[in-house]
Amino acid sequence: MSIPVRPILSAMRCRPAGPMLVALQIALAVALLANVAFIVKQRADKIDRPTGMDVENTFVVWSQGFAQTFNYQATMQEDLAYLRSLDGVVAATPMSHVPLGGSVFDADLSGRPRDRTNRTLADYYEVDHQAIEALGLHLIAGREFQPDEILPPLDGHSQSTLVHGIIVTQAFANALFPEGHALGRTVYDREDAPMTIIGIVERMHGGWVDWKYLDNAFLLPRLPTSAFGPRTYYVVRTRPGRRDRVARSAEEHMSLSNPGRVIEEVRSLQSYKDRGYRRDRNMGIFLLCVTGVLLMITSLGVFALATFNVSTRVRQIGTRRALGARQRDIVFHFMTENWLIMAVGTFVGCPLALAGGIWLSHEFQLPPLNAYFLAGTVVGLWFIGQLAAWQPARRAAAVSPAVATRTI
């Protein structure tokens, strides 16, 4: 079947405003939807990136002392003994702050002493010997901390005082020693205190999900310093399916076990992650809603134009039917007309989408627009546009020659 392009173009030239507006609408839809879909995918990938921790089976207890007689270190030991004795608990550790919790304790280290320029930032955590197991980290080199290596909390001294060994993430190790072989190497803080890398974990995210150095983290073998008052975060990992039950038991017991402190909150590590990515998730939902509205508006525009064309060409349709045109010929005519309009719109929209992607990349440091998203948007809009024109085309095919004659 040959495509009747010339009659279609002649029909569109008689009323060019409608096809031009719909083509412009399609062009804008291509430019917007391709970039919106790409941004949503970036947000989804950001939320789903691996943290290196057993987020699903871990919860956090925030203990805050307030009484003058409150014994910070003794209470910590009692709490840890209780938490580790609970049925279903794999491991528990105190921490200076919570991974993915929104706060960062940053320190910049260097692989050379007295180096004030080539330093690398990381989020550091004060923990005890069960930290690797409590967080569910994957140790890929070296060893864990031993119980006799855990130092007492600091009391107004440097963060690295007496610390001889640390455990770092693979990303931080690569940043410190790009040539590799970081295990056993010595790093230095700003006071040139030496610390040896005794272990390397595959991955561990820091406290703030939007931080540039999120993958840079290291563990210090020291009980958390009470820099902000007698505050302790206990990170507890349980066997699969036991997290919520164990968390409830821990909250009930610890809320009553010491009258000199309060349990501020007991929350899953997953809830910390969800809160950290809340802005990205909300943006993704908003953009998906925008996508739905744009698709609906574009479909309505195509449908309205096709319906208008059918209603204004009843005589023309009847004449073609009287001359022997079949119903499928009429459907094919209107579907081809719609296809041409969409082709013009996508032809204009593709450069607009690429230009918009370049602008977004420059202004918001986003990756360049992926061509697959542009191609998928074009195919998706083409399918939706043809589907929107199908019903008006079927209505046109249903016009009989006799009805057309009565309109003369």
PDB file of all heavy atoms in Angstrom, residues 34-46:
ATOM      1  N   ALA A  34      12.333  13.198  28.035  1.00  0.00           N
ATOM      2  CA  ALA A  34      13.613  12.499  27.975  1.00  0.00           C
ATOM      3  C   ALA A  34      14.493  12.877  29.154  1.00  0.00           C
ATOM      4  O   ALA A  34      15.097  12.013  29.809  1.00  0.00           O
ATOM      5  CB  ALA A  34      14.320  12.817  26.649  1.00  0.00           C
ATOM      6  N   ASN A  35      14.560  14.170  29.454  1.00  0.00           N
ATOM      7  CA  ASN A  35      15.395  14.618  30.571  1.00  0.00           C
ATOM      8  C   ASN A  35      14.783  14.265  31.924  1.00  0.00           C
ATOM      9  O   ASN A  35      15.511  13.905  32.866  1.00  0.00           O
ATOM     10  CB  ASN A  35      15.625  16.129  30.473  1.00  0.00           C
ATOM     11  CG  ASN A  35      16.629  16.492  29.411  1.00  0.00           C
ATOM     12  OD1 ASN A  35      17.830  16.301  29.560  1.00  0.00           O
ATOM     13  ND2 ASN A  35      16.144  17.016  28.293  1.00  0.00           N
ATOM     14  N   VAL A  36      13.456  14.343  32.027  1.00  0.00           N
ATOM     15  CA  VAL A  36      12.802  13.966  33.284  1.00  0.00           C
ATOM     16  C   VAL A  36      13.020  12.486  33.576  1.00  0.00           C
ATOM     17  O   VAL A  36      13.351  12.093  34.705  1.00  0.00           O
ATOM     18  CB  VAL A  36      11.303  14.302  33.226  1.00  0.00           C
ATOM     19  CG1 VAL A  36      10.549  13.597  34.352  1.00  0.00           C
ATOM     20  CG2 VAL A  36      11.095  15.798  33.336  1.00  0.00           C
ATOM     21  N   ALA A  37      12.848  11.642  32.563  1.00  0.00           N
ATOM     22  CA  ALA A  37      13.050  10.204  32.757  1.00  0.00           C
ATOM     23  C   ALA A  37      14.494   9.907  33.162  1.00  0.00           C
ATOM     24  O   ALA A  37      14.752   9.058  34.024  1.00  0.00           O
ATOM     25  CB  ALA A  37      12.688   9.450  31.480  1.00  0.00           C
ATOM     26  N   PHE A  38      15.422  10.633  32.561  1.00  0.00           N
ATOM     27  CA  PHE A  38      16.835  10.424  32.883  1.00  0.00           C
ATOM     28  C   PHE A  38      17.132  10.852  34.322  1.00  0.00           C
ATOM     29  O   PHE A  38      17.866  10.168  35.043  1.00  0.00           O
ATOM     30  CB  PHE A  38      17.709  11.203  31.895  1.00  0.00           C
ATOM     31  CG  PHE A  38      19.173  10.928  32.036  1.00  0.00           C
ATOM     32  CD1 PHE A  38      19.679   9.657  31.855  1.00  0.00           C
ATOM     33  CD2 PHE A  38      20.060  11.950  32.363  1.00  0.00           C
ATOM     34  CE1 PHE A  38      21.036   9.401  31.982  1.00  0.00           C
ATOM     35  CE2 PHE A  38      21.406  11.706  32.507  1.00  0.00           C
ATOM     36  CZ  PHE A  38      21.895  10.421  32.309  1.00  0.00           C
ATOM     37  N   ILE A  39      16.551  11.972  34.749  1.00  0.00           N
ATOM     38  CA  ILE A  39      16.769  12.438  36.127  1.00  0.00           C
ATOM     39  C   ILE A  39      16.162  11.462  37.127  1.00  0.00           C
ATOM     40  O   ILE A  39      16.757  11.152  38.164  1.00  0.00           O
ATOM     41  CB  ILE A  39      16.178  13.847  36.301  1.00  0.00           C
ATOM     42  CG1 ILE A  39      16.977  14.862  35.487  1.00  0.00           C
ATOM     43  CG2 ILE A  39      16.182  14.261  37.771  1.00  0.00           C
ATOM     44  CD1 ILE A  39      16.380  16.254  35.466  1.00  0.00           C
ATOM     45  N   VAL A  40      14.962  10.953  36.825  1.00  0.00           N
ATOM     46  CA  VAL A  40      14.328   9.979  37.712  1.00  0.00           C
ATOM     47  C   VAL A  40      15.194   8.732  37.831  1.00  0.00           C
ATOM     48  O   VAL A  40      15.371   8.177  38.931  1.00  0.00           O
ATOM     49  CB  VAL A  40      12.917   9.621  37.198  1.00  0.00           C
ATOM     50  CG1 VAL A  40      12.345   8.432  37.962  1.00  0.00           C
ATOM     51  CG2 VAL A  40      11.989  10.816  37.323  1.00  0.00           C
ATOM     52  N   LYS A  41      15.765   8.293  36.712  1.00  0.00           N
ATOM     53  CA  LYS A  41      16.641   7.123  36.753  1.00  0.00           C
ATOM     54  C   LYS A  41      17.887   7.406  37.584  1.00  0.00           C
ATOM     55  O   LYS A  41      18.348   6.545  38.362  1.00  0.00           O
ATOM     56  CB  LYS A  41      17.057   6.743  35.327  1.00  0.00           C
ATOM     57  CG  LYS A  41      17.961   5.519  35.235  1.00  0.00           C
ATOM     58  CD  LYS A  41      17.278   4.272  35.760  1.00  0.00           C
ATOM     59  CE  LYS A  41      18.023   3.004  35.382  1.00  0.00           C
ATOM     60  NZ  LYS A  41      19.406   2.955  35.831  1.00  0.00           N
ATOM     61  N   GLN A  42      18.435   8.617  37.484  1.00  0.00           N
ATOM     62  CA  GLN A  42      19.591   8.979  38.298  1.00  0.00           C
ATOM     63  C   GLN A  42      19.237   8.952  39.779  1.00  0.00           C
ATOM     64  O   GLN A  42      20.014   8.456  40.609  1.00  0.00           O
ATOM     65  CB  GLN A  42      20.083  10.388  37.914  1.00  0.00           C
ATOM     66  CG  GLN A  42      20.635  10.501  36.504  1.00  0.00           C
ATOM     67  CD  GLN A  42      21.888   9.675  36.314  1.00  0.00           C
ATOM     68  OE1 GLN A  42      22.793   9.693  37.137  1.00  0.00           O
ATOM     69  NE2 GLN A  42      21.941   8.935  35.219  1.00  0.00           N
ATOM     70  N   ARG A  43      18.068   9.466  40.131  1.00  0.00           N
ATOM     71  CA  ARG A  43      17.649   9.452  41.534  1.00  0.00           C
ATOM     72  C   ARG A  43      17.430   8.026  42.022  1.00  0.00           C
ATOM     73  O   ARG A  43      17.798   7.685  43.153  1.00  0.00           O
ATOM     74  CB  ARG A  43      16.355  10.273  41.705  1.00  0.00           C
ATOM     75  CG  ARG A  43      16.538  11.762  41.524  1.00  0.00           C
ATOM     76  CD  ARG A  43      17.413  12.339  42.640  1.00  0.00           C
ATOM     77  NE  ARG A  43      17.571  13.769  42.562  1.00  0.00           N
ATOM     78  CZ  ARG A  43      18.545  14.377  41.929  1.00  0.00           C
ATOM     79  NH1 ARG A  43      19.456  13.671  41.297  1.00  0.00           N
ATOM     80  NH2 ARG A  43      18.645  15.693  41.923  1.00  0.00           N
ATOM     81  N   ALA A  44      16.812   7.201  41.189  1.00  0.00           N
ATOM     82  CA  ALA A  44      16.585   5.808  41.594  1.00  0.00           C
ATOM     83  C   ALA A  44      17.908   5.070  41.789  1.00  0.00           C
ATOM     84  O   ALA A  44      18.063   4.306  42.755  1.00  0.00           O
ATOM     85  CB  ALA A  44      15.731   5.102  40.543  1.00  0.00           C
ATOM     86  N   ASP A  45      18.861   5.295  40.894  1.00  0.00           N
ATOM     87  CA  ASP A  45      20.172   4.656  41.041  1.00  0.00           C
ATOM     88  C   ASP A  45      20.884   5.142  42.297  1.00  0.00           C
ATOM     89  O   ASP A  45      21.572   4.368  42.976  1.00  0.00           O
ATOM     90  CB  ASP A  45      21.038   4.953  39.814  1.00  0.00           C
ATOM     91  CG  ASP A  45      20.555   4.218  38.571  1.00  0.00           C
ATOM     92  OD1 ASP A  45      19.754   3.279  38.723  1.00  0.00           O
ATOM     93  OD2 ASP A  45      20.955   4.605  37.462  1.00  0.00           O
ATOM     94  N   LYS A  46      20.724   6.415  42.610  1.00  0.00           N
ATOM     95  CA  LYS A  46      21.353   6.962  43.817  1.00  0.00           C
ATOM     96  C   LYS A  46      20.780   6.313  45.069  1.00  0.00           C
ATOM     97  O   LYS A  46      21.522   5.945  45.999  1.00  0.00           O
ATOM     98  CB  LYS A  46      21.146   8.475  43.862  1.00  0.00           C
ATOM     99  CG  LYS A  46      21.743   9.158  45.080  1.00  0.00           C
ATOM    100  CD  LYS A  46      21.456  10.651  45.059  1.00  0.00           C
ATOM    101  CE  LYS A  46      21.987  11.342  46.313  1.00  0.00           C
ATOM    102  NZ  LYS A  46      21.668  12.798  46.317  1.00  0.00           N
TER     103      LYS A  46
END
